[in-house]
Amino acid sequence: MHICTVSFFGHRLIEGDFWELDEKLREIVRLMINRNYYTEFLVSTGGDFDRIVSSAIKHEQKLFADVQNSLVLVLPYIMTDYIERNMGLNSFYNDIEICEKSCNAHPKAAYGIRNRAVIDRSDLAVFYVNHAYGGAYQAMKYALKTGKKIYNLGTLQNDRNFDIYNSEIHYAFEPEDYSDANNW
């Protein structure tokens, strides 16, 4: 059993069956929860894909309530108006973070900077990319360039789709003593 960080990136608008995508995401989340001692899921809130991902993770967290994992919302900068309008965020997400690398950047650049920082932190990046433009596509190109393990649920083909079902992920961090897991 390992510690694993999984991030998710996708297009703002979904071009297909929401339910089919939700089922595929729940399957991936279940797999990561079952294979790892602790799984950290990093998400955003920018569109349809982000909402489906967060919902799928919350659903699986309820089913696996006794397994250690967390749903972390990573914002590119402090969005007070967004946070004030969505006070329930703290009860929905296990943690909300402001990306240190992007928080002082120009808002248009902040998302790309945040995406790269999240990918750098991840053991696996799951994508929903159907076309060769936009922020999700740029994030996938960066992940491929840096040699990260990626899995694309979208239709855009790439030559390095990681086999999450039959392959092991090599982790950056493994605790030696799982009994003291709350102290790492």
Side-chain angles (χ1 to χ4, degrees):
M1 297 285 264
H2 305 282
I3 294 171
C4 183
T5 300
V6 182
S7 57
F8 297 86
F9 302 89
H11 299 308
R12 184 178 311 267
L13 300 173
I14 299 299
E15 303 165 349
D17 185 353
F18 275 59
W19 300 113
E20 181 182 345
L21 181 57
D22 176 67
E23 186 52 44
K24 286 179 184 177
L25 286 164
R26 284 202 260 153
E27 186 177 336
I28 291 168
V29 169
R30 233 181 343 264
L31 183 66
M32 293 297 111
I33 288 173
N34 284 324
R35 277 195 186 167
N36 299 296
Y37 176 75
Y38 185 92
T39 307
E40 178 182 53
F41 298 105
L42 306 177
V43 298
S44 185
T45 62
D48 290 346
F49 182 73
D50 297 322
R51 285 187 281 282
I52 294 170
V53 166
S54 295
S55 174
I57 294 168
K58 287 305 279 188
H59 181 268
E60 295 305 311
Q61 279 183 325
K62 288 177 185 170
L63 295 177
F64 296 94
D66 58 335
V67 178
Q68 294 190 32
N69 62 80
S70 62
L71 173 59
V72 181
L73 172 63
V74 184
L75 297 173
Y77 48 82
I78 298 171
M79 305 168 144
T80 11
D81 61 325
Y82 183 81
I83 292 170
E84 287 172 0
R85 283 185 282 132
N86 295 287
M87 294 304 284
L89 289 178
N90 288 328
S91 62
F92 186 79
Y93 297 96
N94 298 111
D95 197 12
I96 299 174
E97 296 178 5
I98 307 298
C99 178
E100 206 173 305
K101 292 182 178 182
S102 63
C103 67
N104 293 319
H106 187 280
K108 288 190 177 195
Y111 284 91
I113 295 167
R114 186 271 322 265
N115 289 351
R116 288 188 297 276
V118 166
I119 289 168
D120 289 342
R121 181 173 158 184
S122 300
D123 298 301
L124 172 68
V126 177
F127 292 90
Y128 174 78
V129 175
N130 291 328
H131 44 73
Y133 57 87
Y137 173 70
Q138 292 301 320
M140 189 167 83
K141 272 182 35 179
Y142 177 77
L144 286 166
K145 178 181 154 192
T146 59
K148 288 292 177 175
K149 290 174 177 44
I150 73 157
Y151 188 77
N152 184 21
L153 292 163
T155 58
L156 186 69
Q157 297 299 312
N158 68 69
D159 58 346
R160 288 207 1 241
N161 220 18
F162 182 69
D163 183 358
I164 60 173
Y165 298 99
N166 299 309
S167 300
E168 284 294 318
I169 297 173
H170 299 285
Y171 303 90
F173 175 70
E174 282 187 61
E176 291 179 24
D177 180 8
Y178 292 128
S179 64
D180 195 27
N182 293 327
N183 294 325
W184 33 264

